[in-house]
Amino acid sequence: MISNQRSSEKLEKVIKEYSEKILSVSELNDYIFKKIESDPKLSFVCVSGEVTNLSESKNHLFFDLKDKNAKISCIIFSEKRRNIYEPREGEEVLVVGEVEYYKKLGKLRIKPIGIKPVGEGAYYRRIEELKQKLRREGLFDEIHKKPIPKLPERIGIVTSKDGAALRDVVNTIHRRFPNVDIYVKHSSVQGESAVEEICEGIEFLDKFNVDVIILARGGGSVEDLEPFNDERVARAIFNARTPIITGIGHKKDETIADYVADYRAITPTEAGKIAVQDKAELLKELDELEESLLQAFKKFKEIKEQEKKIEEMEIKIVKQEERIAKQEERVKRAERSKYVYIAIIVVLVVVILILLLWI
Amino acid sequence: MKDEEFERRIQEVLKIIKELERGEISIEKGEEIMRKGLDLLNELRRMLDNIGSGRVYLLDESRELNLG
């Protein structure tokens, strides 16, 4: 408390002394700009480093040049790109150019006038070597990929509790399946402790009996995504019994974690989509199935009614036939009787005639 | 995991539909299996509704997160 008060008093004193010399941000940036522009050493530099965070916007090419301890931004404007070698991500290069201070953003950057490729950069090489090693061991093999459950009841997420990625994943999951439960295990997703915390998060959720784990992180620089290119994270993913979906960065960001995961989603939002089916769609499918069942039953009943009618008609036909047969019999009998009567009459006539002749 | 249970019931309903389409059973038996099919579909709907409560738990702090 006392020390706070003292420092506050000291600050007030300094501000009072400098009251005439207070600068606006523009004034300060102007000053730095002039200093840098007037330094002959900075108007022409030749720097060696590894290309990272390569991107393109409005046809301008942006990248960082880095070594083990530091990095600096570079920009090649669209009109210059035709004349300058275009480096690849992870390439070791020699950049010749001018150091410029971009006043608007207060940012130092190199404007290359020439670039010479030297070979693969150390970081890129290290990742490639690790990738090869894990591939040889079979960590990327399809045979090890576990199926993602269609109806998970408990979903685990390893990510930063303060990151936008968590909101994206949770909102996507609950938009598609509002009543599924989500368990979040906080982990740093960049910096020194990230690797350890990500591994701990995966191991914890694997034992916590969730049905699927999402490992998520929003976009960032190549350095920000470094933990996801770490061997320990790759092995933690591989050793988990629970299926794991990765949703790291953007489409262009591919990490070793993505190769080992059971499913690689291109963004955290996509990971949420893969984790659950759309409940409304599922209910619609059940309604369609019910409609098919009712239709099948309706047809079944119609067939049965037709069968019944046919049966009744058959019975009628049989009865009719019997009646006809009886009538035919009666006619035959009548025919037979007719001949008997004629015979009797003939006999009677003959007898009468004989009697008349005899008399 | 509800995957298998869900799939098994769906297959049962499909089997009932096929049996009705074949039409080789009696009308009484047909009515009986149709009712069974409707029951299975209602069970499937209940399964979807009973998956969970839609909560988000922050495990490190043992509390519920509200990201709304």
Side-chain angles (χ1 to χ4, degrees):
Chain A
M1 191 71 179
I2 294 166
S3 106
N4 266 353
Q5 204 176 344
R6 270 189 201 150
S7 66
S8 171
E9 281 165 8
K10 211 170 163 184
L11 183 68
E12 282 301 323
K13 204 175 155 191
V14 172
I15 290 172
K16 213 171 180 182
E17 271 176 37
Y18 278 80
S19 62
E20 300 291 306
K21 299 171 193 168
I22 291 173
L23 296 171
S24 69
V25 177
S26 300
E27 284 168 337
L28 176 63
N29 281 9
D30 264 339
Y31 180 80
I32 299 170
F33 177 78
K34 279 174 193 155
K35 276 277 175 197
I36 287 167
E37 206 184 27
S38 62
D39 188 333
K41 208 176 169 185
L42 297 176
S43 64
F44 189 84
V45 290
C46 185
V47 193
S48 88
E50 186 175 340
V51 175
T52 183
N53 299 319
L54 193 71
S55 67
E56 209 179 317
S57 173
K58 293 175 185 163
N59 219 20
H60 308 313
L61 193 72
F62 299 86
F63 61 93
D64 292 337
L65 203 60
K66 71 164 191 173
D67 62 17
K68 209 175 166 188
N69 303 312
K71 69 176 178 181
I72 187 162
S73 303
C74 297
I75 178 170
I76 306 175
F77 289 108
S78 55
E79 64 274 16
K80 301 274 182 195
R81 281 180 74 174
R82 197 172 333 143
N83 308 318
I84 300 174
Y85 171 79
E86 282 202 8
R88 284 179 293 108
E89 181 77 38
E91 198 173 19
E92 188 79 34
V93 290
L94 269 178
V95 172
V96 175
E98 173 199 357
V99 176
E100 178 199 63
Y101 184 70
Y102 186 38
K103 285 191 281 185
K104 208 172 166 183
L105 294 178
K107 230 181 144 190
L108 260 183
R109 60 192 188 184
I110 300 176
K111 280 200 302 186
I113 53 169
I115 295 176
K116 187 186 170 196
V118 178
E120 297 297 359
Y123 177 69
Y124 184 80
R125 214 167 39 235
R126 191 164 54 78
I127 291 190
E128 273 308 304
E129 280 169 8
L130 177 59
K131 215 186 273 179
Q132 292 306 324
K133 178 185 162 190
L134 299 178
R135 181 171 283 128
R136 275 197 303 275
E137 282 186 40
L139 266 73
F140 305 159
D141 290 354
E142 278 300 314
I143 198 167
H144 298 304
K145 307 278 182 211
K146 293 173 279 297
I148 308 298
K150 285 182 186 146
L151 276 182
E153 292 167 70
R154 295 151 62 93
I155 297 177
I157 305 176
V158 179
T159 193
S160 164
K161 68 179 162 82
D162 307 310
L166 176 61
R167 188 179 293 266
D168 289 347
V169 178
V170 168
N171 287 345
T172 306
I173 291 173
H174 276 167
R175 200 168 44 241
R176 289 169 68 79
F177 214 115
N179 55 317
V180 73
D181 289 335
I182 299 173
Y183 297 87
V184 181
K185 183 81 180 90
H186 167 74
S187 144
S188 306
V189 286
Q190 66 188 72
E192 276 178 23
S193 58
V195 169
E196 204 176 312
E197 289 179 22
I198 291 169
C199 293
E200 271 174 20
I202 292 170
E203 282 156 19
F204 182 89
L205 286 175
D206 194 32
K207 286 179 195 151
F208 195 69
N209 204 20
V210 291
D211 300 316
V212 62
I213 297 171
I214 295 175
L215 177 58
R217 191 210 188 282
S221 67
V222 172
E223 293 76 27
D224 290 341
L225 302 181
E226 219 173 318
F228 300 92
N229 280 318
D230 192 279
E231 186 171 351
R232 286 165 289 172
V233 170
R235 293 200 185 279
I237 294 172
F238 184 76
N239 291 333
R241 289 170 297 115
T242 315
I244 295 183
I245 302 170
T246 49
I248 301 160
H250 302 299
K251 194 177 176 182
K252 63 178 177 59
D253 302 319
E254 213 170 35
T255 64
I256 289 179
D258 291 319
Y259 285 101
V260 192
D262 299 293
Y263 191 96
R264 184 222 168 192
I266 50 175
T267 57
T269 302
E270 174 79 9
K273 273 188 199 166
I274 299 300
V276 285
Q277 295 192 67
D278 193 324
K279 189 181 174 187
E281 279 293 316
L282 282 170
L283 287 170
K284 201 175 144 201
E285 279 172 29
L286 293 181
D287 288 346
E288 283 167 3
L289 204 55
E290 184 171 314
E291 187 56 35
S292 302
L293 176 67
L294 293 172
Q295 280 299 323
F297 183 67
K298 196 179 159 196
K299 275 185 194 158
F300 168 79
K301 255 175 93 176
E302 281 169 8
I303 290 168
K304 288 291 152 188
E305 274 163 18
Q306 275 174 359
E307 279 178 3
K308 203 177 163 190
K309 271 182 196 165
I310 290 168
E311 218 170 275
E312 283 169 2
M313 274 167 76
E314 277 174 353
I315 291 167
K316 266 185 198 170
I317 289 166
V318 168
K319 279 184 182 168
Q320 202 76 23
E321 281 173 353
E322 280 173 4
R323 214 176 299 140
I324 289 166
K326 272 181 191 169
Q327 275 176 353
E328 279 175 354
E329 186 61 30
R330 227 176 288 145
V331 170
K332 274 183 195 166
R333 231 182 291 143
E335 287 274 310
R336 272 200 304 273
S337 306
K338 191 173 88 184
Y339 292 125
V340 171
Y341 291 142
I342 291 169
I344 291 169
I345 290 167
V346 169
V347 169
L348 278 174
V349 169
V350 171
V351 169
I352 290 167
L353 281 174
I354 292 170
L355 280 173
L356 282 174
L357 284 173
W358 190 62
I359 293 168
Chain B
M1 196 90 71
K2 293 203 169 177
D3 274 28
E4 282 165 26
E5 268 181 66
F6 196 82
E7 193 51 38
R8 189 176 53 76
R9 282 174 168 82
I10 293 272
Q11 288 307 322
E12 271 185 65
V13 177
L14 289 171
K15 211 172 133 190
I16 288 171
I17 292 174
K18 271 188 187 157
E19 203 160 347
L20 288 172
E21 280 170 350
R22 270 202 301 274
E24 288 165 3
I25 48 173
S26 68
I27 185 99
E28 293 77 18
K29 182 76 184 163
E31 274 170 4
E32 186 191 319
I33 64 168
M34 192 272 294
R35 271 197 300 274
K36 192 184 165 195
L38 290 176
D39 288 346
L40 283 166
L41 285 164
N42 285 333
E43 274 176 39
L44 285 164
R45 290 188 183 99
R46 272 198 299 277
M47 272 175 83
L48 296 181
D49 287 336
N50 295 335
I51 280 236
S53 53
R55 290 197 178 111
V56 185
Y57 300 95
L58 184 59
L59 291 167
D60 307 77
E61 295 167 23
S62 303
R63 69 176 169 93
E64 218 176 292
L65 261 186
N66 188 359
L67 294 168

